[in-house]
Amino acid sequence: MRVLIGGGSGFVGRELTRLLRDKGHEVTVISRQPGPGRITWGELESRGLPPCDGAVNLAGENVLNPLRWWNESYKKDLFSSRIDTTKALSQAITASSSPPRSWVLVSGVACYKPSLTAEYTEDSDWTPFDLLSQLCKEWEAAAFLPESAAKTTRQVVIRPGAVLGQDGGAMKQMLLPFWLGLGGTLGSGRQPFPWIHVSDLAGIIAQSLEPPILSEATPPTPQVYNGVAPTITTNYEFTKELGRILRRPTIFPVPEFIMSVLLGSERAVILTQGQKVIPMKTLESGYQFKYPDLTSALKQIVGS
């Protein structure tokens, strides 16, 4: 199988590339920089889609980039880096004379409104309620193929929670303060913390790329999978478990207003609020999680 990955040089992209190549598949990465096994976004737009059996888009500016202030320029980059690349791929797929069998977009759980009680499955209705949920709506809409293309290319949307792993993602910024004994709950700590190990996210994407069975009954709308572990965890539970595994105290809570000052209120909600997200369709698809619980995931990540 030949797979084209937009944003393949990022944290999740590297894991997915490794997994696919281990399975014997051929991977081409779309990147801003040319190189072996790569094409640029400019080449995609000028030359069209290269021959591939599956396409994935993981491209997008890091929402929690600690080096960037939360301002209008940054917000514009968050939208354009996701929507423009997704549009470029969906348009190339639509125009291709030999389109891929599967087209996978990886978006996020920010579409679901934070709540301490509500539980969301892939079937849950939602409408935009803030900046990040509006981003999800426009992002997923950009991936939508016209009906003519959807007859030959299966559309999949995967909505991951916080992606945990050894060499990037959410853990990269968390580990140092925890190692120093400065870890603590964020905000109230009661907020749900939807998460997934990077190996499982790559596994769900890889499964979604497998040759689909298309028929007249196949809906032209995307299949949605929640990319979250099946165990619901709060920020408090995550904090205490990470502290326990690292054998470090977790006695320095960070008040919500401090997070809002440091990150900007629209961005801080990612950490100070959360959603109970259930991977119902993911489990129904037959995917078996390598790290279904927090303890096994954290032990793998910190090498305990």
Side-chain angles (χ1 to χ4, degrees), residues 105-112 126 136 139-140 157-161 226:
L105 175 69
V106 180
S107 60
V109 296
C111 59
Y112 304 124
W126 63 278
C136 282
W139 192 5
E140 293 184 7
V157 172
I158 300 171
R159 296 173 181 155
N226 285 333

Side-chain angles (χ1 to χ4, degrees), residues 21-222:
R21 286 179 174 160
D22 284 351
K23 289 175 175 284
H25 302 310
E26 179 185 322
V27 176
T28 300
V29 170
I30 315 173
S31 175
R32 285 174 287 191
Q33 303 298 326
R38 297 184 176 198
I39 65 169
T40 65
W41 290 100
E43 288 170 336
L44 175 73
E45 293 189 26
S46 62
R47 299 179 189 173
L49 195 77
C52 61
D53 304 295
V56 182
N57 195 24
L58 296 162
E61 172 76 30
N62 180 7
V63 179
L64 290 173
N65 186 344
L67 303 178
R68 295 200 61 176
W69 288 107
W70 188 248
N71 54 30
E72 291 307 314
S73 171
Y74 186 23
K75 294 175 195 178
K76 185 178 178 182
D77 286 349
L78 289 179
F79 275 72
S80 63
S81 64
R82 286 163 173 75
I83 294 166
D84 293 352
T85 55
T86 301
K87 274 184 181 173
L89 264 167
S90 63
Q91 288 171 357
I93 290 168
T94 302
S96 175
S97 58
S98 55
R101 296 174 304 206
S102 298
W103 160 222
V104 181
L105 175 69
V106 180
S107 60
V109 296
C111 59
Y112 304 124
K113 195 168 187 177
S115 170
L116 296 178
T117 55
E119 293 187 355
Y120 299 99
T121 71
E122 293 89 344
D123 290 334
S124 298
D125 291 328
W126 63 278
T127 52
F129 56 90
D130 66 357
L131 182 83
L132 295 177
S133 58
Q134 181 63 35
L135 171 56
C136 282
K137 182 179 180 181
E138 294 182 26
W139 192 5
E140 293 184 7
F144 193 78
L145 299 177
E147 190 173 346
S148 57
K151 288 178 181 177
T152 53
T153 301
R154 176 177 58 168
Q155 305 177 80
V156 179
V157 172
I158 300 171
R159 296 173 181 155
V163 184
L164 308 181
Q166 287 181 331
D167 61 346
M171 294 299 295
K172 193 172 185 179
Q173 295 162 34
M174 289 183 201
L175 279 177
L176 181 59
F178 272 86
W179 273 118
L180 296 174
L182 300 175
T185 53
L186 304 177
S188 71
R190 295 186 299 128
Q191 70 272 28
F193 180 69
W195 63 273
I196 188 169
H197 191 286
V198 66
S199 295
D200 279 319
L201 179 55
I204 295 167
I205 298 170
Q207 179 176 283
S208 300
L209 287 167
E210 292 298 324
I213 300 172
L214 295 172
S215 68
E216 292 298 322
T218 301
T221 53

Side-chain angles (χ1 to χ4, degrees), residues 225-300:
Y225 296 108
N226 285 333
V228 296
T231 52
I232 293 176
T233 304
T234 64
N235 175 262
Y236 175 85
E237 290 165 341
F238 172 83
T239 300
K240 294 305 174 184
E241 186 62 9
L242 181 55
R244 186 187 71 79
I245 290 172
L246 292 174
R247 298 182 179 87
R248 293 292 190 275
T250 52
I251 56 175
F252 293 96
V254 184
E256 189 168 339
F257 79 90
I258 294 289
M259 299 293 293
S260 295
V261 170
L262 292 174
L263 297 174
S265 58
E266 290 173 309
R267 180 163 57 159
V269 297
I270 298 171
L271 299 176
T272 60
Q273 299 179 30
Q275 313 89 337
K276 292 182 179 179
V277 184
I278 313 296
M280 182 182 73
K281 291 287 177 68
T282 309
L283 293 168
E284 288 176 359
S285 75
Y287 181 76
Q288 295 186 323
F289 283 83
K290 290 175 66 177
Y291 302 100
D293 62 274
L294 194 59
T295 301
S296 64
L298 293 178
K299 282 186 174 179
Q300 189 279 331

